[in-house]
Amino acid sequence: MNKIIILNGPNLNLLGEREKNQYGSFTLKDVEKSCKDYANQNNIKLSLFQSNVEGELVTQIQNARNSQDGLIINAGGYTHTSVAIHDALKILKIPIIELHISNIYNREEFRHKSLISSVARGIVCGFGAEGYVMSLNAMSKYLTK
Ligand code: CA2
């Protein structure tokens, strides 16, 4: 059974509350439910974590070192700013998928730079909420190949 963790960064706890045109009308609970359903059907041991605090995300990434087979991260705004998250991810030997609900490359220029892409195995970006299950599918296929 593959162990996969999905980390969500700042403000993603507010999904479905505003900016629905950008991020859709689904809530984080909805997203987590579809991920749990997918995990149950596909023999995946899934962990989910969301925080608005950079250091808490760093700690989860460090803990994944010895406890997870794969890590999926939507670092929210920290994607574009956090050297600490980049450094923590770089230490990991397990595969990392960078995930975004929106296509960060057709938005404001400050979103075009990601500090995560260079340490990620792959990127899922621009497919809305569906991107979460797409990432789980990609990770689980990658781990079992
Ligand atoms: O598209 C993504 O998934 C992002 O990682 C979302 C981040 C943004 O800073 C990245 O550039 C792209 C922001 C998440 C904000 O979430 C909200 C949720 C509800 C209402 C407003 C914002």
Side-chain angles (χ1 to χ4, degrees):
M1 187 181 250
N2 289 318
K3 289 178 275 178
I4 300 174
I5 186 165
I6 301 180
L7 301 180
N8 278 297
N11 297 312
L12 289 159
N13 56 314
L14 297 183
L15 281 174
E17 280 192 22
R18 49 187 185 93
E19 292 194 46
K20 292 187 189 172
N21 54 334
Q22 190 64 254
Y23 299 115
S25 54
F26 52 87
T27 65
L28 186 60
K29 266 211 161 69
D30 296 333
V31 171
E32 290 183 343
K33 163 109 177 48
S34 27
C35 290
K36 281 178 194 163
D37 290 347
Y38 181 88
N40 288 338
Q41 290 154 17
N42 290 277
N43 204 33
I44 296 166
K45 185 168 184 300
L46 180 66
S47 303
L48 295 157
F49 181 81
Q50 187 277 330
S51 178
N52 296 322
V53 180
E54 187 177 22
E56 289 182 358
L57 293 163
V58 169
T59 299
Q60 288 294 321
I61 294 166
Q62 290 184 2
N63 291 346
R65 241 172 41 244
N66 305 314
S67 61
Q68 302 292 337
D69 299 313
L71 181 144
I72 296 166
I73 181 164
N74 183 349
Y78 286 142
T79 303
H80 318 293
T81 62
S82 178
V83 173
I85 289 176
H86 168 94
D87 288 344
L89 290 170
K90 200 171 179 180
I91 292 163
L92 290 189
K93 294 201 172 74
I94 60 174
I96 297 159
I97 292 179
E98 174 182 1
L99 166 64
H100 299 286
I101 298 164
S102 61
N103 179 350
I104 57 174
Y105 299 102
N106 67 14
R107 299 185 60 192
E108 306 95 319
E109 199 156 345
F110 67 85
R111 295 186 204 275
H112 298 179
K113 176 76 194 159
S114 164
L115 297 184
I116 294 179
S117 301
S118 64
V119 291
R121 182 79 45 165
I123 304 165
V124 174
C125 170
F127 292 101
E130 195 56 38
Y132 282 84
V133 167
M134 288 170 74
S135 303
L136 263 183
N137 179 42
M139 181 64 84
S140 122
K141 294 248 161 68
Y142 182 80
L143 290 172
T144 43
K145 80 173 187 245

